[in-house]
């Protein structure tokens, strides 16, 4: 007897075939409770094209606006600005999940019912994120989504279901939350040919394509989206229109840091024989082993972004980063806040910055993660050019300072003392002229602030910000060594079966200090993420403290 996964997969494969999808050298199969379904090699293909999906099957805003049920109501709301293109797709997913006879059912049944992003965390799991940027972001996002559901989505979905004769179906927030997570975990930014998005440019081609029978298992193709609606929604580059959407089939590829495949769009049919299609093509030169998983890359993303969007993390992620920001509310408490605020506005100041792990390889204590050939050259030249009088020399450590100059100029401005602010104002007044005949640029202000203030004040402020961040991270969960100890002992539970197996294994007597700890996948992900944040914050704090000491030493020498 077929398992539930096998039964769903068989129905889905029939649905894909009915909608023109071609699996040429691959198959879709169940991986495990962690990864769900994935795509695996099945046979060699000479051209490397493993999977071809017609763009007509993609879930895009155009598809929603042309849908027989959703289209008319959604088009009116879209043109009034009540919904945007992303919400259109989430509405379709929500409604089609609830409809009794949805044509999308074979696809929707294959999708996860829960997700690993923090929106789906239990209260206990979410507490593991306290002190991180992601904790507050998750709280705000969930509040925003709940408000959107209560004020808009619930009524729209009920209206659309009533139009379909399903007024008795109950709608709940979890339905919309599910649709939101499906979109963010699976949507692609698709470079569609202009002639496909604007079918009137390809009348001859369109006349040759029969529309699908609505009563069959095929999904009816979308066309004739008005140019006005499209221009308001998408980014155009020459003959390409970038459209966000979900592509059933392609979206079952899992992520890997060393992907063996990538996806492309075939507008002409020259690559695949299927015009207006998306296809999966091998990127690796070496032949695939039979039943090898075909992975793609979701991009070079840190654990914060991976967990927030996709619901997973990578241990020891080389693309990890930490965010440092100066709180906007703190501006009201500093001296001369109004004057400093004006200077920050002229400079187009950035109140926050991302500090990738790779920055550290240009610093005083390199980690060795930097790609060969990359360096921090240009930073010293930029700083050096700020001094128009030559009175402030370029610091000896300039090429080792890993913190972005844009953020450093913000901190220099905020940290200015009264005397320094007076000197900066005087320099700028002199530069502007008695009649203000010259308009001051952001570079003018940055130069004046650098010449008067140097780095010490900014670096001291940066050290303070990083220390506060470190305290917040460690307040509820201890040091990164504490986290490492938890991860060493972790036995991860992905399902009820895992829980039973782990509990059985733990019945064997062990030394208390070495006893494994049962842990959900969500909790494990949270600990991996927060440990990375603590590690990076500590390393950047070490860089800032060392730079501050050097800066103070050089200024003491200069003053003598």
């Amino acid at each position: 007897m077929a398992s539930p996964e096998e039964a769903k997969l068989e129905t889905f494969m029939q649905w894909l075939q009915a909608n023109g999808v071609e699996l040429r050298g691959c198959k879709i199969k169940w991986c495990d409770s962690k990864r769900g379904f994935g795509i695996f090699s099945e046979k060699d293909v000479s051209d490397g094209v493993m999977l071809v999906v017609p763009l007509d099957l993609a879930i895009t805003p155009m598809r929603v606006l042309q849908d027989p049920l959703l289209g008319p109501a959604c088009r009116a709301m879209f043109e009034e600005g009540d919904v945007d293109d992303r919400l259109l797709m989430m509405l379709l997913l929500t409604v089609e999940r609830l409809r009794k006879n949805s044509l999308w059912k074979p696809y929707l049944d294959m999708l996860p019912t829960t997700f690993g992003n923090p929106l789906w965390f239990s209260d206990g799991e979410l507490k593991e994120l306290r002190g991180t940027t992601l904790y507050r972001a998750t709280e705000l996002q969930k509040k925003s989504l709940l408000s959107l559901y209560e004020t808009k989505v619930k009524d729209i979905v009920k209206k659309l279901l009533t139009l379909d004769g399903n007024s008795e179906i109950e709608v709940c927030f979890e339905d919309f939350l599910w649709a939101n997570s499906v979109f963010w975990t699976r949507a692609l930014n698709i470079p569609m040919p202009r002639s496909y998005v604007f079918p009137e440019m390809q009348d001859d081609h369109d006349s040759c394509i029969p529309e699908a029978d609505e009563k069959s298992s095929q999904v009816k193709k979308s066309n004739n989206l008005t140019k006005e609606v499209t221009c308001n929604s998408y980014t155009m580059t020459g003959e390409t229109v970038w459209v966000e959407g979900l592509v059933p089939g392609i979206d079952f590829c899992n992520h890997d840091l060393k992907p063996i495949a990538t996806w492309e769009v075939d507008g002409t049919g020259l690559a695949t024989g299927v015009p207006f299609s998306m296809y999966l093509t091998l990127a690796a030169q070496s032949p695939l082993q039979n039943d090898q998983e075909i992975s793609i890359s979701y991009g070079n993303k840190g654990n914060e972004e991976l967990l927030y969007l996709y619901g997973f993390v990578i241990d020891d992620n080389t693309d990890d980063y930490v965010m440092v920001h100066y709180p906007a509310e703190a501006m009201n408490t500093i001296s001369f806040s109004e004057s400093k605020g004006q200077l920050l506005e002229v400079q187009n100041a950035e109140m926050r910055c991302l500090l990738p792990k790779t920055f550290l390889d240009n610093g005083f204590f390199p980690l060795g993660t930097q790609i060969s050939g990359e360096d921090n050259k240009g930073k010293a030249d930029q700083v050096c050019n700020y001094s128009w009088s030559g009175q402030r020399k370029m610091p000896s450590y300039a090429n080792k300072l890993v913190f972005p100059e844009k953020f450093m100029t913000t901190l220099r401005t905020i940290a200015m003392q009264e005397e320094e602010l007076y000197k900066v104002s005087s320099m700028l007044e002199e530069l502007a002229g008695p009649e203000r005949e010259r308009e001051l640029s952001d570079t003018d202000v940055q130069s004046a602030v650098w010449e008067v203030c140097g780095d010490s004040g900014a670096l001291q402020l940066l050290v303070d910000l990083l220390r506060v961040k470190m305290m917040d991270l460690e307040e509820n969960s201890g040091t990164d060594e504490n986290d490492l100890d938890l991860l060493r002992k972790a036995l991860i539970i992905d399902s009820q079966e895992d829980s039973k197996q782990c509990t059985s294994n733990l019945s064997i007597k062990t030394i208390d200090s070495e006893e494994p700890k049962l842990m959900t996948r969500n909790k494990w992900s949270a600990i991996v993420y927060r440990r990375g944040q603590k590690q990076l914050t500590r390393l950047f704090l070490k860089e800032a403290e060392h730079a501050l000491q050097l800066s103070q030493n050089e200024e003491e020498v200069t003053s003598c």
Side-chain angles (χ1 to χ4, degrees):
M1 183 177 179
S3 68
E5 286 78 17
E6 291 171 337
K8 288 189 296 185
L9 179 57
E10 183 178 353
T11 303
F12 180 55
M13 296 304 294
Q14 294 172 355
W15 183 83
L16 289 177
Q17 186 177 10
N19 283 284
V21 176
E22 300 176 11
L23 283 79
R24 297 182 179 180
C26 66
K27 59 186 176 182
I28 300 173
K29 74 172 190 177
W30 178 256
C31 300
D32 51 45
S33 55
K34 172 188 172 184
R35 293 178 296 161
F37 288 95
I39 298 182
F40 293 78
S41 61
E42 188 171 43
K43 61 182 178 181
D44 292 332
V45 285
S46 58
D47 60 0
V49 176
M50 308 296 287
L51 172 66
V52 183
V53 180
L55 290 178
D56 287 342
L57 193 59
I59 296 177
T60 64
M62 299 111 70
R63 154 96 40 211
V64 181
L65 295 176
Q66 293 298 326
D67 186 87
L69 170 66
L70 279 67
C74 285
R75 179 178 289 273
M77 291 185 290
F78 186 77
E79 292 175 346
E80 288 295 321
D82 293 333
V83 296
D84 60 19
D85 49 354
R86 289 172 176 168
L87 185 54
L88 281 176
M89 290 180 276
M90 292 178 199
L91 287 172
L92 180 139
L93 290 167
T94 306
V95 171
E96 295 299 336
R97 188 192 195 199
L98 294 169
R99 287 180 72 187
K100 295 177 179 178
N101 300 309
S102 171
L103 292 176
W104 296 96
K105 180 174 172 56
Y107 169 60
L108 300 181
D109 283 349
M110 287 282 289
L111 302 182
T113 55
T114 61
F115 295 83
N117 67 62
L119 289 173
W120 293 80
F121 279 20
S122 67
D123 290 343
E125 291 165 343
L126 191 59
K127 286 180 180 178
E128 301 293 341
L129 295 175
R130 284 183 298 185
T132 69
T133 305
L134 200 48
Y135 180 76
R136 180 62 175 156
T138 301
E139 285 188 324
L140 293 174
Q141 188 191 23
K142 195 158 190 176
K143 183 178 180 181
S144 174
L145 287 174
L146 189 56
S147 174
L148 180 61
Y149 171 77
E150 292 291 350
T151 59
K152 185 175 294 185
V153 171
K154 181 166 63 175
D155 290 340
I156 293 175
V157 171
K158 284 184 176 179
K159 174 183 176 182
L160 294 172
L161 288 172
T162 300
L163 290 174
D164 191 45
N166 290 301
S167 57
E168 76 284 359
I169 295 178
E170 291 295 322
V171 186
C172 64
F173 173 65
E174 283 68 27
D175 296 318
F176 176 57
L177 183 62
W178 173 86
N180 177 80
S181 294
V182 167
F183 173 81
W184 284 110
T185 56
R186 307 182 86 84
L188 301 170
N189 199 18
I190 310 168
M192 289 187 171
R194 184 185 179 95
S195 57
Y196 176 79
V197 179
F198 301 127
E200 67 272 14
M201 299 175 62
Q202 195 87 356
D203 287 337
D204 293 339
H205 174 78
D206 283 349
S207 64
C208 299
I209 302 178
E211 290 192 349
D213 180 2
E214 258 192 271
K215 296 180 181 179
S216 73
S217 60
Q218 288 180 281
V219 176
K220 192 173 180 181
K221 72 184 284 290
S222 63
N223 57 20
N224 295 323
L225 181 65
T226 63
K227 186 172 294 187
E228 291 77 18
V229 171
T230 306
C231 287
N232 288 336
S233 309
Y234 311 109
T235 303
M236 296 190 192
T237 308
E239 291 302 308
T240 298
V241 183
W242 292 86
V243 180
E244 285 185 309
L246 283 71
V247 185
I250 298 285
D251 63 347
F252 285 94
C253 278
N254 289 314
H255 169 75
D256 198 289
L257 290 174
K258 296 180 179 179
I260 61 174
T262 184
W263 57 264
E264 304 286 348
V265 169
D266 185 5
T268 61
L270 290 176
T272 64
V274 183
F276 302 125
S277 64
M278 179 181 286
Y279 63 100
L280 191 65
T281 180
L282 295 179
Q285 298 297 321
S286 56
L288 294 181
Q289 297 177 357
N290 187 41
D291 212 31
Q292 181 177 347
E293 184 169 8
I294 300 173
S295 57
I296 61 174
S297 172
Y298 295 178
N300 298 328
K301 293 177 169 58
N303 280 340
E304 189 161 281
E305 192 172 0
L306 288 175
L307 186 55
Y308 190 66
L309 293 179
Y310 303 107
F312 68 88
V313 295
I314 298 172
D315 203 1
D316 197 24
N317 189 345
T318 55
D319 294 309
D320 233 349
Y321 58 80
V322 66
M323 187 185 75
V324 182
H325 78 285
Y326 187 85
E329 59 271 17
M331 279 297 297
N332 298 325
T333 65
I334 64 173
S335 58
F336 308 102
S337 59
E338 186 175 346
S339 298
K340 290 178 181 179
Q342 292 172 354
L343 291 174
L344 290 170
E345 186 176 348
V346 174
Q347 296 177 80
N348 298 310
E350 295 179 357
M351 305 297 285
R352 63 184 62 200
C353 74
L354 293 181
L355 300 174
K357 181 186 289 188
T358 52
F359 276 17
L360 291 164
D361 284 319
N362 294 316
F364 304 108
F365 312 101
L367 291 179
T369 58
Q370 188 73 41
I371 298 173
S372 177
E374 293 188 8
D375 56 37
N376 210 22
K377 188 177 179 183
K379 188 172 184 58
D381 296 336
Q382 184 182 12
V383 175
C384 183
N385 290 335
Y386 279 179
S387 181
W388 60 64
S389 70
Q391 293 180 356
R392 183 172 292 279
K393 303 298 182 184
M394 179 181 69
S396 62
Y397 55 81
N399 277 326
K400 291 289 187 180
L401 198 61
V402 299
F403 304 101
E405 180 60 26
K406 190 78 173 175
F407 190 58
M408 286 294 293
T409 61
T410 298
L411 298 182
R412 290 188 191 110
T413 304
I414 294 172
M416 276 194 293
Q417 301 300 310
E418 180 177 2
E419 182 181 353
E420 293 172 328
L421 182 60
Y422 175 76
K423 288 181 180 179
V424 168
S425 300
S426 298
M427 292 176 72
L428 293 175
E429 287 175 4
E430 181 181 348
L431 188 62
E435 301 298 326
R436 295 189 176 275
E437 54 268 21
R438 174 177 170 177
E439 185 175 346
L440 297 175
S441 67
D442 57 342
T443 302
D444 292 330
V445 178
Q446 291 166 3
S447 300
V449 172
W450 155 251
E451 183 144 349
V452 171
C453 302
D455 283 336
S456 292
L459 288 169
Q460 181 63 66
L461 182 53
L462 181 57
V463 165
D464 293 341
L465 291 175
L466 287 167
R467 284 176 177 168
V468 169
K469 187 173 186 69
M470 198 76 217
M471 288 173 59
D472 289 343
L473 287 167
E474 294 182 347
E475 181 179 2
N476 296 292
S477 55
T479 67
D480 56 316
E481 286 298 322
N482 295 131
D483 290 337
L484 181 59
D485 186 55
L486 289 172
L487 295 173
R488 284 197 190 106
K489 298 177 180 178
L491 278 178
I492 302 172
I493 305 168
D494 281 321
S495 65
Q496 288 296 326
E497 291 182 5
D498 288 347
S499 178
K500 292 177 182 177
Q501 182 64 43
C502 289
T503 303
S504 176
N505 292 339
L506 288 178
S507 65
I508 302 173
K509 291 184 179 180
T510 58
I511 301 172
D512 289 345
S513 61
E514 298 297 327
E515 183 178 340
K517 303 293 184 183
L518 294 184
M519 186 180 295
T520 63
R521 174 70 56 180
N522 291 345
K523 182 175 179 178
W524 180 86
S525 297
I527 296 173
V528 170
Y529 158 64
R530 81 183 184 209
R531 176 175 176 253
Q533 293 291 289
K534 292 172 186 177
Q535 287 179 310
L536 283 182
T537 302
R538 176 168 45 79
L539 291 169
F540 278 109
L541 176 57
K542 184 178 179 181
E543 291 281 336
E545 289 174 336
H546 190 69
L548 174 60
Q549 185 62 55
L550 293 176
S551 175
Q552 291 173 337
N553 290 345
E554 292 192 11
E555 289 188 9
E556 286 176 7
V557 171
T558 302
S559 63
C560 293

